[in-house]
Amino acid sequence: MSSMNRKIGIGVLWNLLSLFITRGASTVFTLFLARLLVPEAFGLIAMATIVFELANIFVNSGLGTALIQSKSVNDKDLNTVFYTNLILSILAYSIMFVGSSYVASFYAQPDLVLIIKITGLIVIFNAARIVQTALCSRNMDFKSLMKSNVLSIIISGVLAVAAAWYGLGVWSLVIQMLSSSLISVVVLWIISPWRPALKFSAESFFRLFRFAKNLLVEGLLEVLFKNSYILVIGRFFGAEATGLYFFAKKISDLISQQLTGAIQQATFPALSKIQDENQTLKEKYRQIVQLMIFVIAPVMALLAGLAPILIGIAFRESWNAAVPYLQLLCVVGALFPMNAININLLLVKGQSGLLLKIGLLKRGVSLLLLFLAIPYGVSGIIISQIVAALLSLIPNTYFSTQLIGYSLINQIKDVIKPYSSAVLAGLGAWLLVQQADSYSILWLMAGGLVGVLIYIVFSYLIRAEGMVFLVDKLLARSKYKPVDE
């Protein structure tokens, strides 16, 4: 078990290192691009995003996750997945190419025709790296994945900023997306020793697809649901409002979804190996939940509290309208890890059928809330997301209770202290920066410092679980002395 703990720990560290470098670089590039571009440019990209995200899900069809989740795979499995993805990607791109004019008509944005035709190539690029990514994950080789992510983010970001500087507008964002995907593929193919052979097994396809089919449907529903907000905002409120929402969502997701995803990616292969040991699995999930919320909740709270001064310093005045959107989306982001970790458990247990059923229920409720919120504008739509995230905890945690005995009440007890500390920290930071008479780095740093101190002190006083776990680990390491052989 100690060996597995070390693997999980190393995997998390590599993923976190990759996260900090790539997200940090991505944030810097986003700041530069926001200074050079207008909200409408981001709005057009947001409108096009749903098309190739749907295509990506269709192409992957859950087979990449099936490779990771399987207890063993052979060369026939790998080749079958590779060629299946490649064929599906060409088919998906053809559909996107033909259907681009219909999408442009829906949004009343003629520029989308060419944007979709070009960005659609990402689907083919991504299909070429699914097997390599799955192999790295199975082998817990997150160092290689980090190299791929870091190089693709940095090089594509430099190219995008250069393009924006020379006045290419929305095409600078297209260049960033295309180059990032292509560079990632090239790096993974250089690192990975696996190469496709002329093999295809119907038995492998149907065996893997039995697990993957539910992920395919769930993935399609998730993309449609996630982008339904872009669809509605783009259709009813125009490109500028779409760009403001998309940009605020992107900043929020840089922290909540990316950090959660990094931890899940690192722990999923190892947890899958103990999927039949319910008590051990429960303890591991408790630790993961406590640590995730202890780290993510204060960051989201401070981001919400410092949003006015942060956006005022970093961006053009045209972006100030994104502040209330970002603050509300930080609440959504703070709730995201709770839902994601329960979904992750279903995948570890191989319960993709349950995942699909829960997804259908949640999406139905969320879409109902979305359409009820349209008369209340973009802020009303984001509030509907908060309500939906809270309601989603009910079905998500129900099956966690059934599978490993980790109930909603237990999970609330594990996270209520860090959430409370985070709210106080965010409020303290916000109250301080409200006293600022101008946007300045000094006020931003002061607000951040005050928020961090409030969080640490209050977490210590109420003995928040995540802090207790970290302190115990540090004390245990400091007392450990290796025995000389």
Side-chain angles (χ1 to χ4, degrees):
M1 193 63 64
S2 60
S3 175
M4 180 178 54
N5 286 338
R6 283 196 297 272
K7 286 184 177 180
I8 292 177
I10 292 171
V12 170
L13 286 175
W14 277 118
N15 263 21
L16 288 177
L17 180 60
S18 174
L19 171 75
F20 290 137
I21 295 174
T22 57
R23 292 304 102 188
S26 179
T27 301
V28 170
F29 292 130
T30 299
L31 293 175
F32 277 110
L33 290 169
R35 282 183 172 273
L36 297 169
L37 302 175
V38 294
E40 287 85 351
F42 285 88
L44 288 172
I45 288 298
M47 293 172 181
T49 295
I50 183 174
V51 180
F52 59 80
E53 282 194 359
L54 279 171
N56 272 331
I57 292 295
F58 174 69
V59 168
N60 183 18
S61 61
L63 293 176
T65 304
L67 284 178
I68 300 173
Q69 196 273 343
S70 297
K71 293 181 179 179
S72 63
V73 296
N74 54 45
D75 198 47
K76 284 185 178 179
D77 296 335
L78 300 177
N79 281 282
T80 299
V81 171
F82 176 79
Y83 288 115
T84 299
N85 290 334
L86 191 61
I87 293 169
L88 288 175
S89 69
I90 295 172
L91 175 61
Y93 177 70
S94 301
I95 295 173
M96 291 173 63
F97 193 93
V98 173
S100 58
S101 59
Y102 297 101
V103 177
S105 297
F106 174 80
Y107 288 114
Q109 298 288 344
D111 291 342
L112 283 176
V113 175
L114 188 56
I115 291 174
I116 291 173
K117 288 179 178 179
I118 294 178
T119 55
L121 293 170
I122 294 173
V123 175
I124 298 177
F125 297 158
N126 288 345
R129 70 179 180 186
I130 288 175
V131 172
Q132 278 80 1
T133 301
L135 285 174
C136 286
S137 295
R138 281 188 63 85
N139 298 328
M140 301 191 77
D141 180 15
F142 299 108
K143 185 177 181 179
S144 294
L145 292 177
M146 185 196 76
K147 292 177 181 178
S148 169
N149 292 334
V150 169
L151 286 172
S152 63
I153 288 292
I154 292 177
I155 296 174
S156 64
V158 171
L159 292 174
V161 171
W165 179 265
Y166 284 103
L168 295 184
V170 68
W171 292 103
S172 60
L173 298 175
V174 174
I175 289 170
Q176 183 182 35
M177 295 165 63
L178 276 173
S179 58
S180 177
S181 180
L182 181 58
I183 292 165
S184 178
V185 172
V186 172
V187 173
L188 283 175
W189 272 71
I190 291 173
I191 293 174
S192 174
W194 183 83
R195 293 293 181 268
L198 293 176
K199 298 178 183 177
F200 187 91
S201 169
E203 184 276 330
S204 292
F205 174 80
F206 287 111
R207 173 167 47 82
L208 293 169
F209 194 67
R210 273 196 298 272
F211 173 81
K213 66 179 185 299
N214 292 315
L215 295 184
L216 170 61
V217 178
E218 165 62 17
L220 291 172
L221 290 174
E222 172 62 19
V223 170
L224 283 170
F225 162 72
K226 183 177 68 174
N227 287 281
S228 61
Y229 298 96
I230 294 292
L231 280 169
V232 170
I233 295 171
R235 185 69 177 82
F236 290 98
F237 302 102
E240 182 178 1
T242 304
L244 293 169
Y245 169 82
F246 178 73
F247 186 69
K249 187 75 165 63
K250 186 174 183 179
I251 294 176
S252 172
D253 289 351
L254 282 175
I255 300 165
S256 63
Q257 293 194 16
Q258 296 301 324
L259 185 55
T260 301
I263 296 174
Q264 286 184 315
Q265 186 181 24
T267 57
F268 180 67
L271 292 175
S272 293
K273 298 183 190 310
I274 57 169
Q275 58 185 278
D276 298 324
E277 303 172 27
N278 288 344
Q279 189 56 42
T280 302
L281 203 57
K282 178 181 177 181
E283 289 306 311
K284 294 300 176 187
Y285 267 104
R286 284 199 67 200
Q287 293 173 7
I288 292 170
V289 167
Q290 290 170 357
L291 286 173
M292 285 173 64
I293 300 303
F294 183 75
V295 173
I296 294 175
V299 178
M300 301 309 297
L302 289 176
L303 180 59
L306 299 173
I309 195 167
L310 177 63
I311 290 183
I313 291 171
F315 308 119
R316 294 178 176 183
E317 188 177 347
S318 58
W319 290 100
N320 288 343
V323 170
Y325 302 164
L326 176 57
Q327 291 173 322
L328 289 171
L329 285 168
C330 283
V331 180
V332 180
L335 294 170
F336 177 79
M338 289 290 293
N339 283 300
I341 202 67
N342 286 281
I343 293 300
N344 183 263
L345 173 62
L346 294 178
L347 291 176
V348 166
K349 281 289 193 177
Q351 297 288 339
S352 59
L354 281 180
L355 180 64
L356 176 59
K357 292 175 183 177
I358 293 175
L360 287 171
L361 174 63
K362 292 189 301 183
R363 304 308 174 253
V365 172
S366 298
L367 289 175
L368 175 61
L369 291 171
L370 167 61
F371 288 113
L372 290 175
I374 290 175
Y376 302 98
V378 178
S379 293
I381 287 174
I382 301 175
I383 292 173
S384 79
Q385 288 181 257
I386 297 174
V387 176
L390 289 169
L391 292 177
S392 294
L393 287 171
I394 298 173
N396 285 344
T397 55
Y398 172 79
F399 289 103
S400 295
T401 305
Q402 300 300 309
L403 292 171
I404 61 172
Y406 194 22
S407 67
L408 176 60
I409 299 299
N410 289 333
Q411 293 187 40
I412 291 175
K413 289 179 180 178
D414 283 340
V415 302
I416 189 65
K417 291 179 181 178
Y419 273 140
S420 300
S421 300
V423 170
L424 287 177
L427 182 60
W430 180 79
L431 288 173
L432 179 64
V433 299
Q434 290 304 300
Q435 309 307 313
D437 52 5
S438 63
Y439 298 133
S440 73
I441 295 292
L442 289 178
W443 277 106
L444 179 65
M445 292 174 63
L449 180 61
V450 167
V452 170
L453 288 175
I454 291 174
Y455 184 70
I456 292 174
V457 171
F458 195 73
S459 294
Y460 177 78
L461 291 176
I462 64 176
R463 294 186 61 79
E465 284 77 8
M467 172 169 276
V468 171
F469 179 79
L470 286 175
V471 170
D472 289 345
K473 284 292 182 183
L474 290 173
L475 290 175
R477 284 184 176 275
S478 66
K479 293 177 181 178
Y480 172 76
K481 294 182 179 179
V483 179
D484 295 333
E485 295 184 359

